[in-house]
Amino acid sequence: MEMKHQITSQENNFVFLLKTSLKGISQVILIENVITGFIILLAISISSILLGIITLLSAVIGTLIGKSLGADEDILNQGLFGYNSVLTGMALALFLSGPSHWIIALAGAAITAIFTASMMHLMKKMELPILTFPFILTTWFMLLVSYRLTAFTLSPELVPQSLAQWELDIAGEVNWIQGSFNGVSQIFFLDNPISGALLFLAVFWADWKIGVYAILGNAVSLITSYGLGGEHSLIFIGLYGYNAILTIIAVSTFYKNEENRFALLSGIIAASLTVLATASVSSWLLPFGLPTLTMPFVIVTWIFLGARKVLPLL
């Protein structure tokens, strides 16, 4: 009887870990949904099986650290200890090279989980969500380590460049269909239209309104970046779109009171400004050879959600 009870308990723990980890994957796009998390994992795995494995392991690591170190059960169950770890694991697996880069990626996922807890405590006083800030800072920190420690090797695509010698190239193919799917896929570092379609499906599965917000955010980013003379190659592979999608979802849904009729309009404006923030942050990081990640999304979202504390109808 006792043996049967132990087996049942282990099964329950496994189911809890799997569900919470999948929620952690879905929380990357600000959604708490097991099925959405599974579809996202499928979309990633279609593009790269190895990256899919890293994604799942990173989510599990973040969840296990939260659970083993006594995190609040409600916060843990929402997947909030998983999503920053997921993004860190994926980013380090892609932007580092060498035989041990996947070990570093998983170690980064673990560090991010602890940093997530710290940021939760700090941002609680400001009543603002931590968003993906732990992922951004941890990833930048570990990428810069490569300039001092030989165990860390940067991917060849991350090359420091001088702003003084930078030339904007607005030539390139104009492919609006490709751009329509690549914006959402770049949230997970993917450049695959099939993965992009699956990711839209994942969002609509959880909430059709958020799905509409995602489409609007991507459209706003395409129109704004193209209208302002952005590089076509960057526009249509989604590098202006993914931050705008996250921003419109966050600004349109977080802390929205019932009297606020302008939340979606605020989200659209915020998505437009995210394009400018993306261009600015990209230029700022150029001499360091660092990727922009989701910093434009974090900056613009914090500005709007912070302002909403004083201007409740924003």
Side-chain angles (χ1 to χ4, degrees):
M1 189 71 177
E2 184 178 348
M3 180 68 70
K4 185 177 180 180
H5 176 72
Q6 289 178 350
I7 293 173
T8 303
S9 177
Q10 289 174 353
E11 288 177 348
N12 290 338
N13 287 336
F14 175 77
V15 171
F16 171 81
L17 178 62
L18 181 60
K19 286 185 174 180
T20 306
S21 297
L22 289 173
K23 286 180 183 178
I25 295 172
S26 71
Q27 284 285 6
V28 171
I29 49 176
L30 311 170
I31 290 172
E32 180 191 342
N33 189 288
V34 173
I35 302 299
T36 295
F38 176 77
I39 297 173
I40 292 171
L41 183 60
L42 178 62
I44 295 168
S45 300
I46 285 175
S47 182
S48 169
I49 294 177
L50 179 59
L51 197 59
I53 294 171
I54 292 289
T55 300
L56 181 58
L57 289 177
S58 297
V60 169
I61 287 171
T63 303
L64 282 176
I65 286 178
K67 185 173 179 60
S68 61
L69 296 181
D72 182 90
E73 196 74 14
D74 289 337
I75 295 175
L76 192 65
N77 191 48
Q78 293 175 56
L80 296 180
F81 269 92
Y83 72 98
N84 274 293
S85 292
V86 163
L87 288 171
T88 302
M90 294 180 73
L92 292 177
L94 289 170
F95 295 128
L96 290 176
S97 60
S100 61
H101 77 285
W102 63 274
I103 298 175
I104 296 173
L106 295 179
I111 293 169
T112 301
I114 297 172
F115 188 23
T116 294
S118 177
M119 286 299 301
M120 283 179 177
H121 174 69
L122 292 174
M123 298 303 289
K124 186 176 182 180
K125 298 177 182 179
M126 290 187 260
E127 298 182 332
L128 288 173
I130 65 171
L131 303 177
T132 55
F133 190 68
F135 143 64
I136 296 165
L137 216 57
T138 304
T139 301
W140 284 348
F141 177 86
M142 297 192 76
L143 291 179
L144 287 173
V145 165
S146 63
Y147 290 100
R148 297 291 180 178
L149 301 176
T150 57
F152 293 71
T153 306
L154 274 183
S155 169
E157 64 183 83
L158 296 182
V159 180
Q161 299 180 62
S162 172
L163 276 173
Q165 299 174 346
W166 175 256
E167 292 184 7
L168 184 65
D169 181 8
I170 61 171
E173 183 183 358
V174 177
N175 191 329
W176 294 97
I177 296 176
Q178 181 186 20
S180 299
F181 291 104
N182 279 345
V184 69
S185 66
Q186 285 289 353
I187 294 173
F188 296 92
F189 310 100
L190 306 177
D191 182 11
N192 186 313
I194 296 176
S195 296
L198 279 173
L199 290 171
F200 272 121
L201 173 63
V203 176
F204 273 98
W205 178 275
D207 190 327
W208 69 268
K209 287 184 178 179
I210 296 180
V212 171
Y213 294 160
I215 291 174
L216 281 174
N218 196 51
V220 167
S221 74
L222 287 171
I223 294 169
T224 305
S225 56
Y226 186 82
L228 294 177
E231 293 175 83
H232 293 177
S233 60
L234 300 184
I235 294 171
F236 296 107
I237 64 171
L239 292 185
Y240 279 106
Y242 71 96
N243 275 293
I245 291 171
L246 293 173
T247 300
I248 194 172
I249 293 173
V251 173
S252 298
T253 58
F254 281 18
Y255 310 139
K256 183 178 70 174
N257 61 54
E258 294 180 359
E259 298 178 358
N260 189 347
R261 296 170 294 174
F262 306 108
L264 178 56
L265 178 59
S266 297
I268 292 172
I269 295 171
S272 300
L273 293 177
T274 303
V275 172
L276 303 181
T278 299
S280 179
V281 172
S282 297
S283 298
W284 172 49
L285 294 174
L286 203 63
F288 301 98
L290 292 176
T292 305
L293 304 178
T294 51
M295 194 62 191
F297 150 63
V298 171
I299 292 172
V300 176
T301 300
W302 276 349
I303 289 172
F304 272 74
L305 294 186
R308 192 173 285 172
K309 299 295 183 182
V310 180
L311 307 170
L313 296 184
L314 180 64

